[in-house]
Structure formats: C-alpha cells, structure tokens
Amino acid sequence: MNIIYILTNEAMPGYIKIGKTNELERRVKELSRHSGVPLPFEVFYACEVENMDFVERQLHEAFGRTRVAENREFFTETPERVVAVLKMVQKRD
C-alpha cells in the first residue's frame, strides 16, 4: 500500500507531520518510540494514493512556507487544510 499520512502529537501543539509509508501502524509506533517524543503520535488522517513519493513531494512543496526545517517533515499548518488538499488525490481512506 502507498499511504500518505498526517500525524499530530499533543506534546507538539501547532505542528503536524506529513509523511508516507507502506505500513501505517508500524510507522506511527516507530516515530512514537523515540526518546525525544514524550507522547505518542496520533493519525489525524491517512489515505492510499497511487504514487506516494509524488504526492508527498507535492504536499511538502505546497505547504513549504510552513515547513519547520528543510530536513524535517513537520509543518505549522492546520491538519484540516492538508486533508482538504489530500482528498483531491486520494484513492481510498
């Protein structure tokens, strides 16, 4: 599966993570297990897409002005806004 996800974390208010994976549950656990993350990530929204590399790249570009750091996938954007854009390209929830 080619999944694009939007994650939130109660310990990081105002930030979202936009990423891609083939195994959503595993990826969320992997990200949440780091010692620098006091609370686990929560899936705000995820969907299957045709080409996850392309869709992720386009989302990162579209929301680039709100990107926290070039080498991180965190953004100061509302998750609802990203979902609205993502729903235009999604295949299945």
Side-chain angles (χ1 to χ4, degrees):
M1 286 200 290
N2 293 308
I3 300 169
I4 295 290
Y5 60 78
I6 302 165
L7 303 182
T8 58
N9 189 308
E10 193 177 316
M12 302 176 200
Y15 294 98
I16 62 168
K17 180 171 182 354
I18 303 170
K20 64 183 178 187
T21 187
N22 290 313
E23 296 180 38
L24 184 60
E25 195 172 313
R26 179 190 55 77
R27 183 64 176 140
V28 173
K29 285 179 184 178
E30 184 179 89
L31 290 168
S32 297
R33 140 178 43 198
H34 292 285
S35 63
V37 181
L39 296 171
F41 282 94
E42 296 179 15
V43 178
F44 184 86
Y45 185 79
C47 67
E48 190 174 340
V49 296
E50 189 72 29
N51 183 334
M52 69 181 178
D53 295 325
F54 175 77
V55 173
E56 182 195 46
R57 192 169 38 255
Q58 293 302 305
L59 287 171
H60 287 181
E61 187 175 318
F63 296 104
R65 282 185 257 166
T66 65
R67 194 170 191 163
V68 176
E70 192 59 37
N71 62 340
R72 299 286 184 258
E73 297 178 331
F74 288 92
F75 299 79
T76 56
E77 186 60 69
T78 64
E80 294 85 2
R81 187 174 161 119
V82 180
V83 169
V85 172
L86 192 49
K87 282 187 174 184
M88 290 188 274
V89 297
Q90 86 176 49
K91 296 297 180 194
R92 292 190 314 206
D93 284 335

Coordinates of all heavy atoms in Angstrom, one line a residue:
M1 N 0.8 -1.2 0.0 CA 0.0 0.0 0.0 C 0.9 1.2 0.0 O 1.9 1.3 0.6 CB -0.9 0.0 1.2 CG -2.0 -1.0 1.2 SD -3.4 -0.6 2.3 CE -2.7 -0.9 3.8
N2 N 0.4 2.2 -0.7 CA 1.1 3.5 -0.7 C 0.3 4.5 0.1 O -0.8 5.0 -0.4 CB 1.2 4.1 -2.2 CG 2.1 3.2 -3.0 OD1 3.3 3.0 -2.6 ND2 1.7 2.8 -4.1
I3 N 0.7 4.8 1.3 CA -0.1 5.6 2.2 C 0.6 7.0 2.5 O 1.8 7.0 2.8 CB -0.3 4.9 3.5 CG1 -1.0 3.6 3.3 CG2 -1.0 5.7 4.6 CD1 -1.0 2.6 4.5
I4 N -0.2 8.0 2.4 CA 0.2 9.3 2.8 C -0.5 9.6 4.2 O -1.7 9.3 4.3 CB -0.2 10.4 1.8 CG1 0.5 10.2 0.5 CG2 0.0 11.8 2.4 CD1 2.0 10.5 0.6
Y5 N 0.2 10.1 5.2 CA -0.4 10.3 6.5 C -0.2 11.7 7.0 O 0.8 12.4 6.6 CB 0.1 9.3 7.5 CG 1.6 9.3 7.7 CD1 2.2 10.3 8.5 CD2 2.4 8.4 7.1 CE1 3.5 10.3 8.7 CE2 3.8 8.4 7.3 CZ 4.3 9.4 8.1 OH 5.7 9.4 8.3
I6 N -1.1 12.1 7.9 CA -0.9 13.4 8.6 C -1.0 13.0 10.1 O -2.0 12.4 10.5 CB -2.0 14.4 8.3 CG1 -2.0 14.7 6.8 CG2 -1.9 15.7 9.1 CD1 -3.3 15.4 6.3
L7 N 0.1 13.3 10.8 CA 0.1 12.9 12.2 C 0.1 14.2 13.1 O 0.7 15.2 12.7 CB 1.4 12.2 12.5 CG 1.7 10.9 11.8 CD1 3.0 10.2 12.3 CD2 0.5 9.9 11.9
T8 N -0.5 14.1 14.2 CA -0.4 15.1 15.2 C 0.1 14.5 16.5 O 0.2 13.3 16.7 CB -1.8 15.7 15.5 OG1 -2.7 14.6 15.9 CG2 -2.4 16.4 14.3
N9 N 0.5 15.4 17.4 CA 1.1 15.0 18.7 C 0.7 16.0 19.7 O 1.0 17.2 19.6 CB 2.6 14.8 18.6 CG 3.1 14.1 19.8 OD1 2.9 14.5 21.0 ND2 3.9 13.0 19.6
E10 N 0.0 15.6 20.7 CA -0.5 16.5 21.8 C 0.7 17.3 22.4 O 0.5 18.4 22.9 CB -1.2 15.7 22.9 CG -2.0 16.5 23.8 CD -2.7 15.6 24.8 OE1 -3.3 14.6 24.4 OE2 -2.7 15.9 26.0
A11 N 1.9 16.7 22.4 CA 3.1 17.3 23.0 C 3.7 18.4 22.1 O 4.6 19.1 22.5 CB 4.1 16.3 23.4
M12 N 3.2 18.4 20.8 CA 3.7 19.4 19.8 C 2.5 20.2 19.2 O 2.3 20.1 18.0 CB 4.4 18.6 18.7 CG 5.6 17.8 19.2 SD 6.3 16.9 17.8 CE 7.1 15.6 18.6
P13 N 1.8 21.0 20.0 CA 0.7 21.7 19.5 C 1.1 22.7 18.4 O 2.2 23.3 18.5 CB 0.1 22.5 20.7 CG 1.2 22.5 21.7 CD 2.1 21.3 21.4
G14 N 0.3 22.7 17.4 CA 0.6 23.6 16.3 C 1.5 23.0 15.2 O 1.7 23.7 14.2
Y15 N 1.9 21.8 15.4 CA 2.7 21.1 14.4 C 2.0 19.9 13.9 O 1.4 19.2 14.6 CB 4.1 20.7 15.0 CG 5.0 21.8 15.4 CD1 5.0 22.3 16.7 CD2 5.8 22.5 14.4 CE1 5.8 23.3 17.1 CE2 6.6 23.5 14.8 CZ 6.6 24.0 16.1 OH 7.4 25.0 16.4
I16 N 2.3 19.6 12.6 CA 1.8 18.3 12.0 C 3.0 17.7 11.3 O 3.9 18.4 10.9 CB 0.6 18.5 11.1 CG1 1.0 19.4 9.9 CG2 -0.6 19.0 11.8 CD1 -0.1 19.4 8.8
K17 N 2.9 16.4 11.1 CA 3.9 15.7 10.3 C 3.2 15.1 9.1 O 2.1 14.4 9.2 CB 4.5 14.5 11.1 CG 5.6 13.8 10.3 CD 6.3 12.8 11.2 CE 7.4 12.1 10.5 NZ 7.6 12.2 9.1
I18 N 3.7 15.4 7.9 CA 3.2 14.9 6.7 C 4.2 13.9 6.1 O 5.4 14.3 5.9 CB 3.0 16.0 5.6 CG1 2.0 17.1 6.1 CG2 2.4 15.4 4.3 CD1 1.9 18.3 5.3
G19 N 3.8 12.6 5.9 CA 4.8 11.6 5.5 C 4.1 10.5 4.7 O 2.9 10.6 4.3
K20 N 4.9 9.5 4.4 CA 4.5 8.4 3.6 C 5.0 7.1 4.2 O 6.0 7.1 4.9 CB 5.0 8.5 2.1 CG 6.5 8.5 2.1 CD 7.1 8.7 0.7 CE 8.6 8.6 0.8 NZ 9.2 9.0 -0.5
T21 N 4.3 6.0 3.9 CA 4.7 4.7 4.4 C 3.9 3.6 3.6 O 2.9 3.9 3.0 CB 4.4 4.6 5.9 OG1 5.0 3.4 6.4 CG2 2.9 4.6 6.2
N22 N 4.4 2.4 3.8 CA 3.7 1.2 3.3 C 3.0 0.5 4.4 O 2.1 -0.3 4.2 CB 4.7 0.3 2.7 CG 5.2 0.8 1.4 OD1 4.5 1.3 0.5 ND2 6.5 0.7 1.2
E23 N 3.3 0.8 5.7 CA 2.7 0.2 6.9 C 2.5 1.3 7.9 O 3.4 1.6 8.7 CB 3.7 -0.9 7.4 CG 3.9 -2.0 6.5 CD 4.8 -3.1 7.1 OE1 4.7 -3.3 8.3 OE2 5.6 -3.6 6.3
L24 N 1.3 1.8 7.9 CA 1.0 3.0 8.8 C 1.2 2.7 10.3 O 1.8 3.4 11.0 CB -0.5 3.4 8.5 CG -0.9 4.7 9.3 CD1 0.0 5.9 8.9 CD2 -2.4 5.0 9.0
E25 N 0.6 1.6 10.8 CA 0.7 1.3 12.2 C 2.1 1.2 12.6 O 2.5 1.7 13.7 CB -0.1 0.0 12.5 CG -0.4 -0.2 14.0 CD -1.3 -1.4 14.2 OE1 -2.3 -1.5 13.5 OE2 -0.9 -2.2 15.1
R26 N 2.9 0.5 11.9 CA 4.4 0.3 12.2 C 5.1 1.7 12.2 O 5.9 1.9 13.1 CB 5.0 -0.6 11.2 CG 6.5 -0.8 11.5 CD 7.3 -1.6 10.3 NE 7.1 -1.0 9.0 CZ 7.8 0.1 8.6 NH1 8.6 0.7 9.4 NH2 7.6 0.6 7.4
R27 N 4.8 2.5 11.2 CA 5.4 3.8 11.1 C 5.1 4.7 12.3 O 6.0 5.4 12.9 CB 5.0 4.5 9.8 CG 5.7 5.8 9.6 CD 7.2 5.7 9.5 NE 7.9 6.9 9.1 CZ 9.0 7.3 9.7 NH1 9.7 6.5 10.5 NH2 9.5 8.5 9.3
V28 N 3.8 4.7 12.7 CA 3.4 5.5 13.9 C 4.1 5.0 15.1 O 4.6 5.9 15.9 CB 1.9 5.5 14.0 CG1 1.5 6.2 15.3 CG2 1.2 6.2 12.8
K29 N 4.2 3.8 15.3 CA 4.9 3.2 16.5 C 6.3 3.6 16.5 O 6.9 3.9 17.5 CB 4.7 1.7 16.6 CG 3.3 1.3 17.0 CD 3.2 -0.3 17.0 CE 1.8 -0.7 17.4 NZ 1.6 -2.1 17.3
E30 N 6.9 3.5 15.3 CA 8.4 3.8 15.1 C 8.7 5.2 15.5 O 9.6 5.5 16.2 CB 8.7 3.5 13.7 CG 10.1 3.7 13.3 CD 10.3 3.3 11.8 OE1 10.1 4.3 11.0 OE2 10.5 2.2 11.5
L31 N 7.8 6.1 15.0 CA 8.0 7.6 15.3 C 7.8 7.9 16.8 O 8.4 8.7 17.4 CB 7.1 8.4 14.4 CG 7.5 8.4 12.9 CD1 6.3 9.0 12.1 CD2 8.8 9.2 12.7
S32 N 6.8 7.2 17.4 CA 6.4 7.5 18.8 C 7.4 6.9 19.8 O 7.4 7.3 20.9 CB 5.0 6.9 19.0 OG 4.1 7.5 18.2
R33 N 8.2 6.0 19.4 CA 9.1 5.3 20.3 C 10.4 6.1 20.6 O 11.0 5.8 21.6 CB 9.4 3.9 19.7 CG 10.7 3.3 19.8 CD 10.8 1.9 19.2 NE 10.0 1.8 18.0 CZ 9.6 0.7 17.4 NH1 9.9 -0.4 18.0 NH2 9.0 0.7 16.3
H34 N 10.7 7.1 19.8 CA 11.9 7.9 20.1 C 11.9 8.6 21.4 O 10.8 9.1 21.9 CB 12.1 9.0 19.0 CG 12.4 8.4 17.7 ND1 13.6 7.9 17.3 CD2 11.6 8.2 16.6 CE1 13.6 7.4 16.1 NE2 12.4 7.6 15.6
S35 N 13.0 8.6 22.1 CA 13.0 9.1 23.5 C 12.7 10.6 23.5 O 12.3 11.1 24.6 CB 14.4 8.9 24.1 OG 15.4 9.5 23.4
G36 N 12.9 11.3 22.4 CA 12.6 12.8 22.4 C 11.1 13.1 22.2 O 10.8 14.3 22.2
V37 N 10.3 12.1 22.1 CA 8.9 12.3 21.9 C 8.1 11.8 23.2 O 8.0 10.7 23.5 CB 8.4 11.5 20.7 CG1 6.9 11.7 20.5 CG2 9.2 11.9 19.5
P38 N 7.6 12.8 24.0 CA 7.0 12.4 25.3 C 5.7 11.7 25.2 O 5.3 11.0 26.0 CB 6.9 13.8 26.0 CG 6.9 14.8 25.0 CD 7.7 14.3 23.8
L39 N 4.9 12.0 24.1 CA 3.6 11.4 23.9 C 3.6 10.8 22.5 O 4.3 11.2 21.6 CB 2.5 12.4 24.0 CG 2.3 13.1 25.4 CD1 1.4 14.3 25.3 CD2 1.9 12.1 26.4
P40 N 2.8 9.7 22.3 CA 2.7 9.1 21.0 C 2.0 10.0 20.0 O 1.2 10.8 20.3 CB 1.9 7.8 21.3 CG 1.1 8.1 22.5 CD 1.9 9.1 23.3
F41 N 2.4 9.7 18.7 CA 1.8 10.4 17.6 C 0.4 9.8 17.4 O 0.2 8.6 17.7 CB 2.6 10.2 16.3 CG 3.8 11.2 16.2 CD1 5.0 10.8 16.7 CD2 3.6 12.5 15.7 CE1 6.1 11.6 16.6 CE2 4.7 13.3 15.7 CZ 5.9 12.9 16.1
E42 N -0.5 10.6 16.9 CA -1.9 10.1 16.5 C -2.1 10.4 15.0 O -1.7 11.4 14.5 CB -2.9 10.9 17.3 CG -2.8 10.6 18.8 CD -3.8 11.3 19.7 OE1 -4.8 11.9 19.1 OE2 -3.6 11.4 20.9
V43 N -2.8 9.4 14.4 CA -3.1 9.6 13.0 C -4.3 10.5 12.9 O -5.4 10.2 13.3 CB -3.4 8.3 12.3 CG1 -3.8 8.5 10.9 CG2 -2.2 7.3 12.4
F44 N -4.1 11.7 12.3 CA -5.2 12.6 12.1 C -6.0 12.2 10.8 O -7.2 12.2 10.8 CB -4.7 14.1 11.9 CG -5.8 15.1 11.8 CD1 -6.4 15.6 12.9 CD2 -6.2 15.5 10.5 CE1 -7.4 16.5 12.8 CE2 -7.3 16.4 10.4 CZ -7.8 16.9 11.5
Y45 N -5.2 11.8 9.8 CA -5.8 11.3 8.5 C -4.8 10.5 7.8 O -3.6 10.8 7.8 CB -6.2 12.6 7.7 CG -7.0 12.2 6.5 CD1 -8.3 11.8 6.5 CD2 -6.3 12.2 5.2 CE1 -9.0 11.5 5.3 CE2 -7.0 11.9 4.1 CZ -8.3 11.5 4.1 OH -9.0 11.2 3.0
A46 N -5.2 9.5 7.0 CA -4.3 8.8 6.2 C -5.2 8.2 5.0 O -6.4 8.0 5.2 CB -3.7 7.6 7.0
C47 N -4.5 8.1 3.9 CA -5.2 7.6 2.7 C -4.2 6.9 1.8 O -3.0 7.2 1.8 CB -6.0 8.6 2.0 SG -5.1 9.9 1.2
E48 N -4.7 6.0 1.0 CA -3.9 5.3 0.0 C -3.9 6.2 -1.3 O -5.0 6.7 -1.7 CB -4.5 3.9 -0.3 CG -3.6 3.1 -1.1 CD -4.1 1.7 -1.3 OE1 -4.9 1.2 -0.5 OE2 -3.6 1.0 -2.2
V49 N -2.8 6.3 -1.9 CA -2.6 7.1 -3.1 C -1.9 6.2 -4.2 O -1.3 5.2 -3.8 CB -1.8 8.4 -2.9 CG1 -2.6 9.3 -2.0 CG2 -0.5 8.1 -2.4
E50 N -2.0 6.6 -5.4 CA -1.3 5.9 -6.5 C 0.2 5.9 -6.4 O 0.9 4.9 -6.5 CB -1.8 6.5 -7.8 CG -1.4 5.7 -9.0 CD -2.2 4.4 -9.1 OE1 -3.3 4.3 -8.7 OE2 -1.6 3.4 -9.7
N51 N 0.7 7.2 -6.2 CA 2.2 7.4 -6.2 C 2.5 8.2 -4.9 O 2.5 9.4 -5.0 CB 2.6 8.1 -7.4 CG 4.1 8.2 -7.5 OD1 4.8 8.3 -6.6 ND2 4.6 8.3 -8.8
M52 N 2.9 7.5 -3.8 CA 3.1 8.2 -2.6 C 4.3 9.1 -2.6 O 4.3 10.2 -2.0 CB 3.2 7.2 -1.4 CG 4.4 6.4 -1.4 SD 4.4 5.3 0.0 CE 5.9 4.3 -0.2
D53 N 5.4 8.8 -3.4 CA 6.5 9.7 -3.5 C 6.1 11.0 -4.1 O 6.5 12.1 -3.6 CB 7.6 9.0 -4.3 CG 8.2 7.8 -3.6 OD1 8.3 7.7 -2.4 OD2 8.5 6.8 -4.4
F54 N 5.4 10.9 -5.2 CA 4.9 12.1 -5.9 C 4.0 13.0 -5.0 O 4.2 14.2 -4.9 CB 4.2 11.8 -7.2 CG 3.7 13.0 -7.9 CD1 4.5 13.8 -8.7 CD2 2.3 13.2 -7.9 CE1 3.9 14.9 -9.3 CE2 1.8 14.3 -8.5 CZ 2.6 15.2 -9.2
V55 N 3.0 12.3 -4.4 CA 2.0 13.1 -3.6 C 2.7 13.7 -2.4 O 2.5 14.9 -2.1 CB 0.9 12.1 -3.2 CG1 0.0 12.9 -2.2 CG2 0.1 11.7 -4.4
E56 N 3.6 13.0 -1.7 CA 4.3 13.6 -0.6 C 5.1 14.8 -1.0 O 5.1 15.8 -0.4 CB 5.2 12.5 0.1 CG 5.9 13.1 1.3 CD 7.1 12.2 1.8 OE1 7.9 11.8 0.9 OE2 7.1 12.0 3.0
R57 N 5.9 14.6 -2.1 CA 6.7 15.7 -2.6 C 5.8 17.0 -2.9 O 6.2 18.1 -2.6 CB 7.5 15.3 -3.8 CG 8.6 16.2 -4.3 CD 9.5 15.6 -5.3 NE 8.8 14.7 -6.3 CZ 8.9 13.4 -6.4 NH1 9.6 12.7 -5.5 NH2 8.3 12.7 -7.3
Q58 N 4.7 16.7 -3.5 CA 3.8 17.8 -3.9 C 3.2 18.5 -2.6 O 3.1 19.7 -2.6 CB 2.7 17.4 -4.8 CG 3.1 16.9 -6.2 CD 3.9 18.0 -6.9 OE1 3.4 19.1 -7.1 NE2 5.1 17.8 -7.3
L59 N 2.8 17.7 -1.6 CA 2.3 18.3 -0.4 C 3.4 19.1 0.3 O 3.2 20.2 0.8 CB 1.8 17.2 0.5 CG 0.5 16.5 0.1 CD1 0.2 15.3 1.0 CD2 -0.7 17.5 0.2
H60 N 4.6 18.6 0.4 CA 5.7 19.3 1.0 C 6.0 20.6 0.3 O 6.3 21.6 0.9 CB 7.0 18.4 1.1 CG 6.9 17.3 2.0 ND1 7.9 16.4 2.2 CD2 5.9 16.9 2.9 CE1 7.6 15.5 3.2 NE2 6.4 15.8 3.6
E61 N 5.9 20.6 -1.0 CA 6.1 21.8 -1.8 C 4.9 22.8 -1.6 O 5.2 24.0 -1.3 CB 6.2 21.5 -3.3 CG 6.6 22.7 -4.1 CD 6.9 22.3 -5.5 OE1 7.5 21.3 -5.8 OE2 6.4 23.1 -6.4
A62 N 3.7 22.3 -1.6 CA 2.6 23.1 -1.4 C 2.5 23.8 -0.1 O 2.1 25.0 0.0 CB 1.3 22.3 -1.6
F63 N 3.0 23.2 1.0 CA 3.0 23.7 2.3 C 4.4 24.1 2.8 O 4.6 24.3 4.0 CB 2.3 22.7 3.3 CG 0.9 22.5 3.0 CD1 0.5 21.3 2.3 CD2 -0.1 23.4 3.2 CE1 -0.8 21.1 2.0 CE2 -1.4 23.2 2.9 CZ -1.8 22.0 2.3
G64 N 5.3 24.3 1.8 CA 6.7 24.6 2.1 C 6.9 25.8 3.0 O 7.8 25.9 3.8
R65 N 6.1 26.8 2.8 CA 6.2 28.1 3.6 C 6.0 27.8 5.1 O 6.4 28.6 5.9 CB 5.3 29.2 3.1 CG 5.8 29.8 1.9 CD 5.0 31.0 1.5 NE 4.2 30.5 0.4 CZ 3.1 31.0 -0.1 NH1 2.7 32.2 0.4 NH2 2.5 30.5 -1.1
T66 N 5.3 26.7 5.4 CA 5.0 26.4 6.8 C 5.9 25.3 7.4 O 5.8 24.9 8.5 CB 3.6 26.1 7.1 OG1 3.2 24.9 6.4 CG2 2.7 27.2 6.6
R67 N 6.9 24.9 6.5 CA 7.8 23.8 7.0 C 8.7 24.3 8.0 O 9.3 25.3 7.9 CB 8.6 23.3 5.8 CG 9.2 22.0 6.0 CD 9.8 21.4 4.7 NE 10.2 20.0 4.9 CZ 10.4 19.1 4.0 NH1 10.3 19.5 2.7 NH2 10.8 17.9 4.3
V68 N 8.9 23.5 9.1 CA 9.7 23.9 10.2 C 11.2 23.9 9.9 O 11.9 24.9 10.2 CB 9.4 23.0 11.5 CG1 10.3 23.4 12.6 CG2 7.9 23.1 11.9
A69 N 11.6 22.9 9.2 CA 13.0 22.8 8.8 C 13.1 22.0 7.5 O 12.3 21.0 7.3 CB 13.9 22.1 9.9
E70 N 14.0 22.3 6.7 CA 14.1 21.7 5.3 C 14.3 20.1 5.4 O 13.9 19.4 4.6 CB 15.2 22.3 4.5 CG 15.2 21.9 3.1 CD 13.9 22.2 2.3 OE1 13.3 23.3 2.6 OE2 13.5 21.4 1.5
N71 N 15.0 19.7 6.5 CA 15.3 18.3 6.6 C 14.3 17.6 7.5 O 14.6 16.5 8.0 CB 16.7 18.1 7.1 CG 16.9 18.7 8.5 OD1 16.2 19.6 8.9 ND2 18.0 18.3 9.2
R72 N 13.2 18.2 7.8 CA 12.1 17.6 8.7 C 10.8 17.6 8.0 O 10.6 18.5 7.2 CB 12.0 18.3 10.0 CG 13.3 18.2 10.9 CD 13.5 16.9 11.5 NE 14.6 16.8 12.3 CZ 15.8 16.3 12.0 NH1 16.0 15.8 10.8 NH2 16.8 16.3 12.8
E73 N 9.9 16.7 8.3 CA 8.6 16.7 7.7 C 7.5 17.3 8.6 O 6.4 16.9 8.5 CB 8.2 15.3 7.3 CG 9.1 14.6 6.3 CD 8.8 13.2 6.0 OE1 8.3 12.5 6.9 OE2 9.1 12.7 4.9
F74 N 7.9 18.3 9.4 CA 7.0 18.9 10.3 C 6.6 20.3 9.7 O 7.4 21.0 9.2 CB 7.6 19.1 11.7 CG 7.7 17.8 12.4 CD1 8.8 17.0 12.3 CD2 6.6 17.3 13.2 CE1 8.9 15.8 13.0 CE2 6.7 16.1 13.8 CZ 7.8 15.4 13.7
F75 N 5.3 20.6 9.9 CA 4.7 21.9 9.3 C 3.9 22.6 10.4 O 3.3 21.9 11.2 CB 3.9 21.5 8.1 CG 4.7 20.9 7.0 CD1 5.0 19.5 7.0 CD2 5.1 21.6 5.9 CE1 5.7 18.9 6.0 CE2 5.8 21.0 4.9 CZ 6.1 19.7 4.9
T76 N 3.8 23.9 10.3 CA 2.9 24.7 11.2 C 1.7 25.0 10.4 O 1.4 26.1 10.1 CB 3.6 25.9 11.7 OG1 4.1 26.7 10.6 CG2 4.8 25.6 12.7
E77 N 1.0 24.0 10.0 CA -0.2 24.1 9.2 C -1.3 23.4 9.9 O -1.1 22.4 10.6 CB 0.1 23.5 7.8 CG -1.0 23.6 6.8 CD -1.3 25.0 6.5 OE1 -0.5 25.7 5.9 OE2 -2.4 25.5 6.8
T78 N -2.6 23.7 9.6 CA -3.7 23.0 10.2 C -3.8 21.7 9.5 O -3.7 21.6 8.2 CB -5.0 23.8 10.2 OG1 -5.4 23.9 8.8 CG2 -4.9 25.1 10.8
P79 N -4.1 20.6 10.2 CA -4.2 19.3 9.5 C -5.5 19.3 8.6 O -5.4 18.7 7.6 CB -4.4 18.3 10.7 CG -4.7 19.1 11.9 CD -4.2 20.5 11.7
E80 N -6.5 20.1 9.0 CA -7.7 20.1 8.1 C -7.4 20.7 6.7 O -7.9 20.2 5.7 CB -8.8 21.0 8.8 CG -9.3 20.4 10.0 CD -8.5 20.8 11.3 OE1 -7.5 21.5 11.2 OE2 -8.9 20.3 12.4
R81 N -6.5 21.6 6.7 CA -6.1 22.2 5.4 C -5.4 21.2 4.5 O -5.6 21.1 3.3 CB -5.3 23.5 5.6 CG -5.0 24.2 4.3 CD -4.3 25.5 4.7 NE -3.7 26.0 3.5 CZ -3.9 27.2 3.0 NH1 -4.8 28.0 3.6 NH2 -3.3 27.6 1.9
V82 N -4.5 20.4 5.1 CA -3.8 19.4 4.3 C -4.7 18.3 3.9 O -4.6 17.8 2.8 CB -2.6 18.9 5.2 CG1 -1.8 17.8 4.4 CG2 -1.6 20.0 5.6
V83 N -5.6 17.9 4.8 CA -6.6 16.9 4.4 C -7.4 17.4 3.2 O -7.7 16.6 2.3 CB -7.6 16.6 5.6 CG1 -8.7 15.7 5.1 CG2 -6.8 15.9 6.7
A84 N -7.8 18.6 3.2 CA -8.6 19.1 2.0 C -7.9 19.0 0.7 O -8.5 18.6 -0.3 CB -9.0 20.6 2.3
V85 N -6.6 19.3 0.7 CA -5.8 19.1 -0.5 C -5.6 17.6 -0.8 O -5.8 17.2 -1.9 CB -4.4 19.8 -0.3 CG1 -3.5 19.5 -1.5 CG2 -4.6 21.3 -0.2
L86 N -5.3 16.8 0.2 CA -5.1 15.4 0.0 C -6.3 14.7 -0.5 O -6.2 13.8 -1.3 CB -4.6 14.8 1.3 CG -4.0 13.4 1.3 CD1 -3.0 13.2 0.2 CD2 -3.5 13.1 2.7
K87 N -7.5 15.1 -0.1 CA -8.7 14.4 -0.6 C -8.9 14.6 -2.1 O -9.6 13.8 -2.7 CB -9.9 15.0 0.2 CG -10.0 14.4 1.5 CD -11.3 14.8 2.2 CE -11.5 14.0 3.5 NZ -12.8 14.4 4.2
M88 N -8.2 15.5 -2.7 CA -8.3 15.7 -4.1 C -7.6 14.6 -4.9 O -7.8 14.4 -6.1 CB -7.8 17.1 -4.5 CG -8.8 18.2 -4.1 SD -8.3 19.8 -4.8 CE -7.1 20.4 -3.6
V89 N -6.6 14.0 -4.2 CA -5.8 13.0 -4.9 C -5.9 11.6 -4.3 O -5.3 10.6 -4.8 CB -4.3 13.4 -4.9 CG1 -4.1 14.6 -5.7 CG2 -3.7 13.5 -3.5
Q90 N -6.7 11.4 -3.3 CA -6.7 10.1 -2.6 C -7.5 9.1 -3.4 O -8.3 9.4 -4.2 CB -7.4 10.2 -1.2 CG -8.9 10.2 -1.2 CD -9.4 10.2 0.2 OE1 -9.1 11.1 0.9 NE2 -10.3 9.3 0.5
K91 N -7.2 7.8 -3.1 CA -7.8 6.7 -3.8 C -8.8 6.0 -2.8 O -9.9 5.7 -3.2 CB -6.8 5.7 -4.3 CG -5.9 6.3 -5.4 CD -6.7 6.7 -6.6 CE -5.8 7.3 -7.6 NZ -6.5 8.0 -8.7
R92 N -8.3 5.8 -1.6 CA -9.1 5.1 -0.6 C -8.7 5.6 0.8 O -7.6 5.9 1.0 CB -8.9 3.6 -0.6 CG -9.4 2.9 -1.8 CD -9.4 1.4 -1.7 NE -8.1 1.0 -1.1 CZ -7.7 -0.2 -1.3 NH1 -8.3 -1.1 -2.1 NH2 -6.5 -0.6 -0.8
D93 N -9.7 5.7 1.7 CA -9.4 6.0 3.1 C -8.7 4.8 3.8 O -9.0 3.7 3.5 CB -10.6 6.4 3.9 CG -11.1 7.8 3.5 OD1 -10.3 8.6 3.1 OD2 -12.3 8.1 3.7

